[in-house]
Amino acid sequence: MDHKQPSTPDFPSRLPKVGTTIFTVMSALAAKYQAINLGQGFPDFPCDRALINKVNEAMLADLNQYPPMIGVANLRTGIAKKIGKLYGKHYNPDTEITITAGGTQGILTAILSCVGPNDEVIILEPAYDSYRPSIELAGGKAIALALQVRRDEKNQVSSYEIPWEALAKTINKKTRLIIINSPHNPTGMVWQKTDLDRLADLVKDGDALILSDEVYEHMVYDGMQHHSIASNPLLASRSFLVSSFGKTYHVTGWKVGYVAAPAALMKEFRKVHQFNVFTVNTPMQYGLAQYLDEERRYLDLPSFYQSKRDFFQAGLKKTRFKLLPCPATYFQCVDYSRLDIPEAKLTEDQFCAWLTTEKGVAAIPVSAFYEDAVESGVIRFCFAKQESTLTTGLERLQAL
Ligand code: GLN
């Protein structure tokens, strides 16, 4: 008799280089060492009770079966109204807006719906870590261009800029998609109107589509404005716009977002969406549809987060980190390479692990946003936290 244990056959990995995302890894490490978690981007304060009440009401009203595949009508209408008012473009809620299970699903679905084998997709690094694997699952080829890094006289990073020349050279007939992200995670860089015009100029004679990740659209500070892809007619006519209610309403765990795109793109998007998640949870959609009505709930967000940023920056100024600009998002990057401690020589990954396990503050290495872990001595903190969390984190950082 053969007593050999049955074994799982070997099979080739679709994503051989992918491990667990850095955000999950750092949150787990923070939990294990009871560190202040300024790593993964999520608020540690409660969302508005009014929003919870609206979701509760929907559940109690028995709105608990499948919603329409494309999302609850009132929510799509509300989104169309909001985009129209803020960015001046009208998307048809029936044919051009779909509710997704968060921004990340919207991104994957958009990519799967238009990228095929041998298609090139341009991404700008540092890039959110889901872009590349999503492109590879579609069979496409990610072409990464690095944001230009400006450095000061001490060779520390001071800012990031769009690599226009490289972008112009890289766009070619095989370019199916260009992924942009403004406000940018992790650097906070914001695209200006002139940047959108310049991109429009680069793509107007070809067939490249655009995926615009705008999940931090309501976190732009110092009186600056967010310039959505929707505000540029030429770009809007070839773009998927992705946004997230999790980010805007402090409910990252609900995983509800949306994608807006011209009908021709949305038609293909929905073919993938229906066999990917089919629909997104019903009561949340009804709750959000009502909550979205009141504009101040997103219009007040810049001042809400700007005061958190200012509080966090004031505390960081008492440390020996160099602060990078933070015009947007809820992320503050710092350069640690000139700290007067031996650990300043560590790689970003090692530095973050050390900071978490030995000093009790978790952060994210910016190198994780590059395919080939570019080391620039920069780490990212998330300041979407209660003042008490930030204060404890800052005290620990000030002691470094
Ligand atoms: N977008 C969030 C960040 O950058 C995390 C999302 C996630 O963990 N997948 O921290």
Side-chain angles (χ1 to χ4, degrees), residues 23 39-41 128 185 216 247 331 380:
F23 309 111
Q40 189 177 25
Y128 186 55
N185 177 10
Y216 301 100
K247 298 284 188 285
F331 302 119
R380 187 197 84 175

Side-chain angles (χ1 to χ4, degrees), residues 4-17:
K4 236 176 85 187
Q5 289 288 328
S7 63
T8 308
D10 284 336
F11 66 101
S13 169
R14 295 292 316 279
L15 296 170
K17 286 199 195 158

Side-chain angles (χ1 to χ4, degrees), residues 21 23-24 39-42 104 128-129 185 215-216 247 255 330-331 364 369 380:
T21 92
F23 309 111
T24 301
Q40 189 177 25
F42 66 90
T104 306
Y128 186 55
D129 69 346
N185 177 10
V215 300
Y216 301 100
K247 298 284 188 285
K255 298 300 297 172
Y330 49 44
F331 302 119
I364 299 289
F369 292 73
R380 187 197 84 175

